[in-house]
Amino acid sequence: MSAKIISISNMKGGVGKTTISVALAQTLAMGSDNRPSAKVLVVDLDAQANASFWLCGHANLTAHIDQNTTIDTFLENAVVFGKSASLKDNVHSAKAHSDRLFVVPSSPHLRIIERELIVFLSRRHRNLLEVERVVSDLLEQQLQELGMLFDVIIFDTAPGISALTEAALRLSQVVVVPTVPDYISNLGLLSFCRTVSWTSNDPKTVIKRMPWVIANKVKQSKHHQLMLEQMRSASAGDDREFNMFRTEIPSSPRIDEIASNLDMDGELGFDSDGADVFSALAKEVLEVAGQISTTDTRAE
Ligand SMILES: Nc1ncnc2c1ncn2[C@@H]1O[C@H](COP(=O)(O)OP(=O)(O)OP(=O)(O)O)[C@@H](O)[C@H]1O
Ligand SMILES: [Mg+2]
């Protein structure tokens, strides 16, 4: 498998997971003067389906849902009905940059399917950890094939920590954690770092990864700046629980406007400020993904 696998995750809702997933995906797909364009797949693991609305547009997403080509029908077919389903059949072109940017969409039905999977497997005497393992093994198998077709695969995860999120985190080389630098969000970040299992799927290497925090919605207020200072200092120590990207994403009315209007033409259209910030983040994420087996992991 050659694709870099990246999860965007945080237990806390509304911190910018989807905005960053989509902006990162589009930035990587577009490329820049000093970064070749990449073939990117976004896998939407959130029943809210925000990334799917954004990337497919409302009409196309409705068609994909009607045709049963979303992540939830794949999971149901593969686990509950035991069919030999392929996630590749659920890959769709995004509305913008359709030759480089693709999505496995989600639908609100995912919430019901997740519950169905747990009931189905628990009736077969599987506990919650095993449910997570079943989903994780299934996604890992699919990534073998998809990883040959894409340069980068991005999982946009739901708020909270579900079996699906845990599975995505296990399979990712980089876990990007959007965090607003305020007191409450920082508490949420620590609890995310402490409750997730950071061990990867590969039993031979048993790599323990660390989350990478991206400060989002950053204001120049005293509180945000103080929290940022504290978070940066916490991420610098030997006993750190997370790393931090140098890039900071400002609290921006333009980003908010774009990210709140999910059914535009699929194009982000940031002004140069927004585009530059996501370009800087994309560069850092690729750097981390490239170094992952050396400086950014700790062998147990
Ligand atoms: N840098 C930013 N500046 C201003 N607004 C932002 C920024 N990033 C995200 N937002 C806004 O914050 C809201 C939440 O963003 P988003 O949906 O990306 O968060 P999320 O973490 O994916 O949410 P959820 O937990 O519901 O999945 C949206 O209205 C979005 O427009
Ligand atoms: Mg989201």
Side-chain angles (χ1 to χ4, degrees), residues 153-219:
I153 298 177
I154 296 177
F155 288 109
D156 179 26
T157 66
I161 306 176
S162 65
L164 262 182
T165 298
E166 286 271 11
L169 298 183
R170 272 170 184 270
L171 298 169
S172 297
Q173 287 140 356
V174 190
V175 178
V176 177
V177 186
T179 306
V180 182
D182 61 37
Y183 185 75
I184 297 287
S185 302
N186 190 45
L187 287 181
L189 168 66
L190 293 178
S191 130
F192 178 77
C193 293
R194 287 167 193 171
T195 48
V196 163
S197 149
W198 292 103
T199 304
S200 98
N201 244 18
D202 185 344
K204 289 188 289 296
T205 52
V206 193
I207 285 169
K208 190 170 182 213
R209 286 143 319 128
M210 228 191 272
W212 277 83
V213 169
I214 172 73
N216 187 28
K217 302 193 190 185
V218 177
K219 296 182 186 152

Side-chain angles (χ1 to χ4, degrees), residues 31-47:
S32 68
D33 290 347
N34 45 20
R35 180 172 33 78
S37 64
K39 200 169 167 197
V40 184
L41 174 67
V42 174
V43 181
D44 191 347
L45 294 182
D46 185 355

